[in-house]
């Protein structure tokens, strides 16, 4: 029974973390509005897989590794910060580019596979997510970890994160948000790119 309560507590903590705004929300929202509902859903699935991956790593002791090897945490922050900076640059650079939404030329749109991988990489590049998972698991895991935790907790993390971003993608890909985006595309993209870049810069400059 204690193990079940522990699993529920971890799921609740992960749900709170999932709905907190961050780079993942920006990427899912932008793909859902700017490209299509399917692209937003593919991105959301990538986010979910990334969360499941972090859950596996947390169970395997990533918190202990990052604490014991400071260089590993440093490398994670640098890689994540640089990726967010790059992503922010791409969004900002393309702010003025005209957007063809659901046109007859699917070549103009990124593939669903690329949208999925973009979501996965965005999730995996965020060291805050790694630390949150590691901290939550360290604080709430029972002293003796049941074998079924290794299957259930990663699946819960995938469903919680993926489910939240699927909801975001579904709601924001409706016609009204799409038309608003198209009308103010340049300003919205520049803002999103700047925020993404600042998040990356904060990661890199916060190094000891």
């Amino acid at each position: 029974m204690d193990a079940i309560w522990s699993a529920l507590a971890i799921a609740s903590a992960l749900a709170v973390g999932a709905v907190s705004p961050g780079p993942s929300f920006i990427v899912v929202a932008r793909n859902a509005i700017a490209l299509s509902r399917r692209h937003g859903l593919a991105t959301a699935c990538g986010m979910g897989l990334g969360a499941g991956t972090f859950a596996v790593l947390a169970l395997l002791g990533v918190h202990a590794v990052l604490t014991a090897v400071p260089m590993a945490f440093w490398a994670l922050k640098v890689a994540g910060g640089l990726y967010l900076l790059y992503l922010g640059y791409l969004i900002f650079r393309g702010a003025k580019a005209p957007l063809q939404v659901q046109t007859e030329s699917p070549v103009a749109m990124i593939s669903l596979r690329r949208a999925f991988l973009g979501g996965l990489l965005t999730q995996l590049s965020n060291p805050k997510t790694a630390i949150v998972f590691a901290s939550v698991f360290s604080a709430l895991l029972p002293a003796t970890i049941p074998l079924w935790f290794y299957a259930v907790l990663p699946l819960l993390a995938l469903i919680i994160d993926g489910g939240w971003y699927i909801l975001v993608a579904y709601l924001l890909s409706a016609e009204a948000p799409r038309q608003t985006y198209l009308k103010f595309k340049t300003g919205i993209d520049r803002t999103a790119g700047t925020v993404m870049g600042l998040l990356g810069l904060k990661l890199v400059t916060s190094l000891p």
Side-chain angles (χ1 to χ4, degrees):
M1 184 62 69
D2 287 343
I4 294 177
W5 281 113
S6 177
L8 290 175
I10 289 173
S12 300
L14 294 182
V16 172
V19 301
S20 301
S24 299
F25 183 90
I26 295 174
V27 173
V28 172
R30 186 175 183 278
N31 283 356
I33 297 172
L35 298 176
S36 72
R37 176 167 290 171
R38 289 194 305 160
H39 286 79
L41 294 176
T43 308
C45 290
M47 298 293 180
L49 181 58
T53 302
F54 274 130
V56 172
L57 293 175
L59 281 169
L60 294 177
V62 68
H63 186 265
V65 172
L66 294 179
T67 302
V69 188
M71 185 60 70
F73 181 50
W74 179 86
L76 183 64
K77 290 187 72 173
V78 169
L82 290 178
Y83 179 73
L84 292 182
L85 278 169
Y86 173 69
L87 204 56
Y89 165 73
L90 290 181
I91 295 174
F92 193 94
R93 187 185 66 177
K96 277 192 158 184
L99 185 68
Q100 299 179 10
V101 181
Q102 299 287 22
T103 65
E104 295 180 358
S105 176
V107 179
M109 301 172 67
I110 68 172
S111 67
L112 295 177
R113 178 175 176 273
R114 186 175 169 188
F116 172 83
L117 290 176
L120 177 61
L121 287 175
T122 300
Q123 186 78 297
L124 294 179
S125 71
N126 191 350
K128 286 182 65 177
T129 305
I131 298 304
V132 166
F133 269 78
S135 300
V136 167
F137 278 47
S138 298
L140 299 177
L141 281 175
T144 302
I145 302 176
L147 190 60
W148 58 270
F149 265 38
Y150 290 91
V152 171
L153 291 184
L155 183 61
L156 277 176
L158 188 154
I159 292 173
I160 290 169
D161 256 62
W164 164 247
Y165 289 117
I166 283 173
L167 178 63
V168 169
Y170 185 82
L171 293 176
L172 294 184
S173 58
E175 189 60 24
R178 184 186 300 279
Q179 291 304 320
T180 301
Y181 171 79
L182 291 175
K183 184 176 181 180
F184 302 104
K185 176 183 181 299
T186 299
I188 292 173
D189 278 11
R190 283 179 173 171
T191 301
T194 299
V195 171
M196 193 75 75
L198 289 174
L199 289 171
L201 191 63
K202 182 180 178 182
L203 280 176
V204 175
T205 56
S206 64
L207 295 171

